Amino acid sequence: MNLGIQKEILMTWDQIRRVKMFNLYQNMNRREEGENRREPDMTGHDRFCQVRPKSRRKRRQVTRRAQSAIELDTEAMLSARGVLDRRGRSASIEDDESEEEKGYQLTNKIDSLAKILFNRVTAARNREQNDIRNGRHQYTALDCYGPSACEDVGECMEMEKRSRIQALTICQSHLKGSTRYSLTKQLNNVGSRVDKHWFAVRDTTLKADRLLTLAPLSRNCPINICSSIRETLNHLFLALQHPYICPVLDLDFKEFKGQNYVILVQPINQGSLKDLIYGIERNCWNEDWSQKYVTRGKGLPLPQVQRLGRQILEALLFLKERGFPTVTHLHSGNVIVQNGVARLAGLENTLLGFTSRIYPVVTSRSSHLNFIDTICFGHVLFEMCAGYELCSFKPTETQLSDINKYPQILEILELIFEQPDARYPSVEELLLHDLFRNIDLREMRSAPVTMFRPTLSPPVVNLLDGIKRKHINKRLESIDSEDVVSLDNPAPEHREEIEESSLLAEIYDELSTTTI
């Protein structure tokens, strides 16, 4: 072969190799840029957001238009009604209800009445205790206070209106200085806290809708508010991203008329575990809390209870391994369900000194304060099966009879509440139980290892250690104080109160199990 031809062939192959290497280098750069663009290292980004795939179902074409009542033949309807009456059947939907359905509706009304009665008495007792203990926040809806708190309904509504107007003013003042978020609208009272307000905002940086919450700081807040604390908390929330934890995308503090407020930004959710239990539609998640749960819910299927329970336990274990204080805010309203995946929310409550609505119930016995997360999980587990909350520290025999079709749940509830010498199982022990052992956690497969082993900075570690020390001191003070009443040997001045509570629990249980 000619030498010149060989040189041309070699030059051609060399050019082809260079072009391939150049294309490969460009593809690698584009891939790295795409990854950096998808997962920026900043607050406001949820790495574990569960996105529902869009379905491409074709709608059926409507072949004919439905007729209105005016267009129907009146004589034909009357003749049809007569035929149905002769056969002993009703032509209207209302008359078609069976006696069993009417009895079920009456039972629901009685159950709602019992809940209202229980909430009013509990709210009155909590207010008295809060006056003695200097201002622990309450978590009862405004209408649960009843006439004893307000002279009339009009005054109560006026107080709520003024509170919402003030919250809107604070939110607008805060967003005026923000270049990232813009206010969309003020939402209803989504939660049970009286002094907490919800807003829908728009993240202009990521082009996404977010949920903004505003609440005054508690007197029991264990941290001193300053700019460095804000940065430390945001770094902490950024490090606590997990498939089963609802992230806090941004946190800030706002002072208004001498009162400090905490402002949090989180992803817009489509309902909580409580919404799922009570059958609330996805588009009704932002309705008023006092109106959503007036009727008794339904128990979830056992496989769903197992999967959601395992996911909640994984979130608790993750927080425990990161040195997070004991979670005391766990209840069905603080568990977000996103496309079938449970995500624990409300992490800020433990850090900022807030207490949950069920806190007086789960802390009624001072010997188990280190296992409040386990007790709260037992309450959530019972509610997922029974369809209603526990109003006592542990379920009674009557309440356990409502979940007889869940023998495995009865076994684990006995493990939690019926241990000798008041020894309660830890989160690790519950994870090893047969009920949760063989659950597939597909959300954790593709997550990088660095997400589950984050490196906490020294300021974050010091903040968590300081909060845990203050919680321990507070528990010791509560044990030594005269306000703590022993349920086994109550003081004479508290016996009447405990008897009233037990009587109310019996009334509630009796009404809850009434059959017509």
mmCIF file of all heavy atoms in Angstrom, residues 253-274:
data_model
loop_
_atom_site.group_PDB
_atom_site.id
_atom_site.type_symbol
_atom_site.label_atom_id
_atom_site.label_comp_id
_atom_site.label_asym_id
_atom_site.label_seq_id
_atom_site.Cartn_x
_atom_site.Cartn_y
_atom_site.Cartn_z
ATOM 1 N N PHE A 253 -37.510 34.062 61.896
ATOM 2 C CA PHE A 253 -38.179 34.629 63.063
ATOM 3 C C PHE A 253 -38.596 36.063 62.751
ATOM 4 O O PHE A 253 -37.913 36.782 62.016
ATOM 5 C CB PHE A 253 -37.261 34.600 64.286
ATOM 6 C CG PHE A 253 -36.857 33.219 64.706
ATOM 7 C CD1 PHE A 253 -35.590 32.738 64.412
ATOM 8 C CD2 PHE A 253 -37.735 32.393 65.389
ATOM 9 C CE1 PHE A 253 -35.207 31.464 64.797
ATOM 10 C CE2 PHE A 253 -37.365 31.118 65.770
ATOM 11 C CZ PHE A 253 -36.102 30.656 65.475
ATOM 12 N N LYS A 254 -39.716 36.464 63.319
ATOM 13 C CA LYS A 254 -40.263 37.797 63.080
ATOM 14 C C LYS A 254 -40.785 38.355 64.401
ATOM 15 O O LYS A 254 -41.531 37.681 65.126
ATOM 16 C CB LYS A 254 -41.403 37.726 62.062
ATOM 17 C CG LYS A 254 -42.078 39.051 61.759
ATOM 18 C CD LYS A 254 -41.195 39.949 60.916
ATOM 19 C CE LYS A 254 -41.930 41.203 60.497
ATOM 20 N NZ LYS A 254 -41.072 42.098 59.679
ATOM 21 N N GLU A 255 -40.382 39.590 64.715
ATOM 22 C CA GLU A 255 -40.872 40.249 65.923
ATOM 23 C C GLU A 255 -41.967 41.236 65.551
ATOM 24 O O GLU A 255 -41.814 42.038 64.624
ATOM 25 C CB GLU A 255 -39.737 40.977 66.636
ATOM 26 C CG GLU A 255 -40.165 41.587 67.964
ATOM 27 C CD GLU A 255 -39.024 42.267 68.681
ATOM 28 O OE1 GLU A 255 -37.884 42.202 68.176
ATOM 29 O OE2 GLU A 255 -39.275 42.861 69.754
ATOM 30 N N PHE A 256 -43.077 41.157 66.280
ATOM 31 C CA PHE A 256 -44.217 42.031 66.011
ATOM 32 C C PHE A 256 -44.861 42.421 67.334
ATOM 33 O O PHE A 256 -45.335 41.547 68.085
ATOM 34 C CB PHE A 256 -45.233 41.308 65.112
ATOM 35 C CG PHE A 256 -46.402 42.162 64.689
ATOM 36 C CD1 PHE A 256 -46.273 43.065 63.651
ATOM 37 C CD2 PHE A 256 -47.622 42.062 65.341
ATOM 38 C CE1 PHE A 256 -47.342 43.852 63.251
ATOM 39 C CE2 PHE A 256 -48.693 42.846 64.956
ATOM 40 C CZ PHE A 256 -48.557 43.743 63.909
ATOM 41 N N LYS A 257 -44.817 43.705 67.646
ATOM 42 C CA LYS A 257 -45.406 44.249 68.875
ATOM 43 C C LYS A 257 -44.878 43.539 70.122
ATOM 44 O O LYS A 257 -45.641 43.149 71.021
ATOM 45 C CB LYS A 257 -46.927 44.153 68.829
ATOM 46 C CG LYS A 257 -47.558 45.045 67.759
ATOM 47 C CD LYS A 257 -49.076 44.974 67.813
ATOM 48 C CE LYS A 257 -49.696 45.902 66.774
ATOM 49 N NZ LYS A 257 -51.186 45.852 66.797
ATOM 50 N N GLY A 258 -43.561 43.329 70.147
ATOM 51 C CA GLY A 258 -42.931 42.730 71.312
ATOM 52 C C GLY A 258 -43.048 41.222 71.414
ATOM 53 O O GLY A 258 -42.547 40.634 72.376
ATOM 54 N N GLN A 259 -43.693 40.564 70.436
ATOM 55 C CA GLN A 259 -43.865 39.105 70.451
ATOM 56 C C GLN A 259 -43.069 38.502 69.295
ATOM 57 O O GLN A 259 -43.148 38.977 68.155
ATOM 58 C CB GLN A 259 -45.342 38.743 70.299
ATOM 59 C CG GLN A 259 -45.617 37.260 70.102
ATOM 60 C CD GLN A 259 -45.290 36.440 71.339
ATOM 61 O OE1 GLN A 259 -45.707 36.753 72.433
ATOM 62 N NE2 GLN A 259 -44.537 35.361 71.155
ATOM 63 N N ASN A 260 -42.288 37.461 69.595
ATOM 64 C CA ASN A 260 -41.520 36.763 68.567
ATOM 65 C C ASN A 260 -42.371 35.676 67.919
ATOM 66 O O ASN A 260 -43.059 34.917 68.625
ATOM 67 C CB ASN A 260 -40.252 36.143 69.158
ATOM 68 C CG ASN A 260 -39.205 37.171 69.499
ATOM 69 O OD1 ASN A 260 -39.002 38.135 68.764
ATOM 70 N ND2 ASN A 260 -38.533 36.991 70.638
ATOM 71 N N TYR A 261 -42.310 35.607 66.608
ATOM 72 C CA TYR A 261 -43.040 34.602 65.836
ATOM 73 C C TYR A 261 -42.045 33.766 65.038
ATOM 74 O O TYR A 261 -40.991 34.263 64.622
ATOM 75 C CB TYR A 261 -44.027 35.263 64.869
ATOM 76 C CG TYR A 261 -45.190 35.959 65.549
ATOM 77 C CD1 TYR A 261 -45.057 37.251 66.050
ATOM 78 C CD2 TYR A 261 -46.422 35.324 65.695
ATOM 79 C CE1 TYR A 261 -46.107 37.895 66.678
ATOM 80 C CE2 TYR A 261 -47.483 35.965 66.322
ATOM 81 C CZ TYR A 261 -47.323 37.244 66.809
ATOM 82 O OH TYR A 261 -48.377 37.877 67.430
ATOM 83 N N VAL A 262 -42.387 32.513 64.847
ATOM 84 C CA VAL A 262 -41.588 31.630 64.005
ATOM 85 C C VAL A 262 -42.344 31.397 62.695
ATOM 86 O O VAL A 262 -43.553 31.151 62.695
ATOM 87 C CB VAL A 262 -41.281 30.293 64.713
ATOM 88 C CG1 VAL A 262 -42.562 29.555 65.108
ATOM 89 C CG2 VAL A 262 -40.414 29.402 63.824
ATOM 90 N N ILE A 263 -41.633 31.502 61.590
ATOM 91 C CA ILE A 263 -42.208 31.352 60.251
ATOM 92 C C ILE A 263 -41.488 30.208 59.561
ATOM 93 O O ILE A 263 -40.259 30.233 59.437
ATOM 94 C CB ILE A 263 -42.075 32.654 59.443
ATOM 95 C CG1 ILE A 263 -42.814 33.796 60.157
ATOM 96 C CG2 ILE A 263 -42.610 32.476 58.031
ATOM 97 C CD1 ILE A 263 -42.620 35.147 59.503
ATOM 98 N N LEU A 264 -42.255 29.219 59.118
ATOM 99 C CA LEU A 264 -41.686 28.057 58.445
ATOM 100 C C LEU A 264 -42.278 27.917 57.056
ATOM 101 O O LEU A 264 -43.446 28.226 56.830
ATOM 102 C CB LEU A 264 -41.952 26.765 59.230
ATOM 103 C CG LEU A 264 -41.127 26.538 60.482
ATOM 104 C CD1 LEU A 264 -41.858 27.087 61.685
ATOM 105 C CD2 LEU A 264 -40.839 25.064 60.672
ATOM 106 N N VAL A 265 -41.460 27.429 56.136
ATOM 107 C CA VAL A 265 -41.891 27.141 54.771
ATOM 108 C C VAL A 265 -41.673 25.653 54.520
ATOM 109 O O VAL A 265 -40.569 25.137 54.740
ATOM 110 C CB VAL A 265 -41.117 27.982 53.741
ATOM 111 C CG1 VAL A 265 -41.556 27.629 52.325
ATOM 112 C CG2 VAL A 265 -41.331 29.465 54.006
ATOM 113 N N GLN A 266 -42.734 24.979 54.088
ATOM 114 C CA GLN A 266 -42.688 23.545 53.821
ATOM 115 C C GLN A 266 -43.372 23.258 52.484
ATOM 116 O O GLN A 266 -44.081 24.117 51.947
ATOM 117 C CB GLN A 266 -43.391 22.771 54.944
ATOM 118 C CG GLN A 266 -42.701 22.873 56.287
ATOM 119 C CD GLN A 266 -43.477 22.154 57.377
ATOM 120 O OE1 GLN A 266 -44.580 22.531 57.720
ATOM 121 N NE2 GLN A 266 -42.877 21.112 57.925
ATOM 122 N N PRO A 267 -43.192 22.061 51.943
ATOM 123 C CA PRO A 267 -43.902 21.718 50.704
ATOM 124 C C PRO A 267 -45.408 21.660 50.926
ATOM 125 O O PRO A 267 -45.886 21.343 52.020
ATOM 126 C CB PRO A 267 -43.345 20.335 50.337
ATOM 127 C CG PRO A 267 -42.063 20.214 51.093
ATOM 128 C CD PRO A 267 -42.245 21.004 52.348
ATOM 129 N N ILE A 268 -46.142 21.995 49.890
ATOM 130 C CA ILE A 268 -47.598 21.837 49.933
ATOM 131 C C ILE A 268 -47.917 20.346 49.968
ATOM 132 O O ILE A 268 -47.475 19.580 49.110
ATOM 133 C CB ILE A 268 -48.257 22.486 48.710
ATOM 134 C CG1 ILE A 268 -48.225 24.012 48.841
ATOM 135 C CG2 ILE A 268 -49.692 22.010 48.543
ATOM 136 C CD1 ILE A 268 -49.277 24.601 49.747
ATOM 137 N N ASN A 269 -48.652 19.921 50.989
ATOM 138 C CA ASN A 269 -49.023 18.506 51.090
ATOM 139 C C ASN A 269 -50.457 18.313 50.636
ATOM 140 O O ASN A 269 -51.225 19.265 50.522
ATOM 141 C CB ASN A 269 -48.847 18.005 52.528
ATOM 142 C CG ASN A 269 -49.721 18.770 53.507
ATOM 143 O OD1 ASN A 269 -50.934 18.571 53.576
ATOM 144 N ND2 ASN A 269 -49.110 19.663 54.276
ATOM 145 N N GLN A 270 -50.815 17.078 50.410
ATOM 146 C CA GLN A 270 -52.156 16.720 49.959
ATOM 147 C C GLN A 270 -52.903 15.912 51.003
ATOM 148 O O GLN A 270 -53.714 15.065 50.664
ATOM 149 C CB GLN A 270 -52.066 15.941 48.634
ATOM 150 C CG GLN A 270 -51.498 16.740 47.479
ATOM 151 C CD GLN A 270 -52.337 17.954 47.140
ATOM 152 O OE1 GLN A 270 -53.562 17.935 47.228
ATOM 153 N NE2 GLN A 270 -51.679 19.033 46.754
ATOM 154 N N GLY A 271 -52.624 16.189 52.264
ATOM 155 C CA GLY A 271 -53.369 15.510 53.317
ATOM 156 C C GLY A 271 -52.465 14.787 54.286
ATOM 157 O O GLY A 271 -51.345 14.391 53.970
ATOM 158 N N SER A 272 -52.967 14.603 55.501
ATOM 159 C CA SER A 272 -52.227 13.922 56.555
ATOM 160 C C SER A 272 -52.760 12.507 56.747
ATOM 161 O O SER A 272 -53.719 12.081 56.095
ATOM 162 C CB SER A 272 -52.357 14.699 57.870
ATOM 163 O OG SER A 272 -53.722 14.740 58.283
ATOM 164 N N LEU A 273 -52.129 11.781 57.655
ATOM 165 C CA LEU A 273 -52.595 10.442 57.995
ATOM 166 C C LEU A 273 -53.988 10.501 58.613
ATOM 167 O O LEU A 273 -54.814 9.608 58.382
ATOM 168 C CB LEU A 273 -51.598 9.781 58.949
ATOM 169 C CG LEU A 273 -51.950 8.388 59.467
ATOM 170 C CD1 LEU A 273 -52.139 7.407 58.317
ATOM 171 C CD2 LEU A 273 -50.870 7.888 60.424
ATOM 172 N N LYS A 274 -54.273 11.547 59.387
ATOM 173 C CA LYS A 274 -55.614 11.706 59.948
ATOM 174 C C LYS A 274 -56.649 11.895 58.828
ATOM 175 O O LYS A 274 -57.762 11.369 58.912
ATOM 176 C CB LYS A 274 -55.646 12.879 60.920
ATOM 177 C CG LYS A 274 -56.976 13.072 61.620
ATOM 178 C CD LYS A 274 -56.905 14.194 62.632
ATOM 179 C CE LYS A 274 -56.147 13.773 63.862
ATOM 180 N NZ LYS A 274 -56.879 12.737 64.648
#
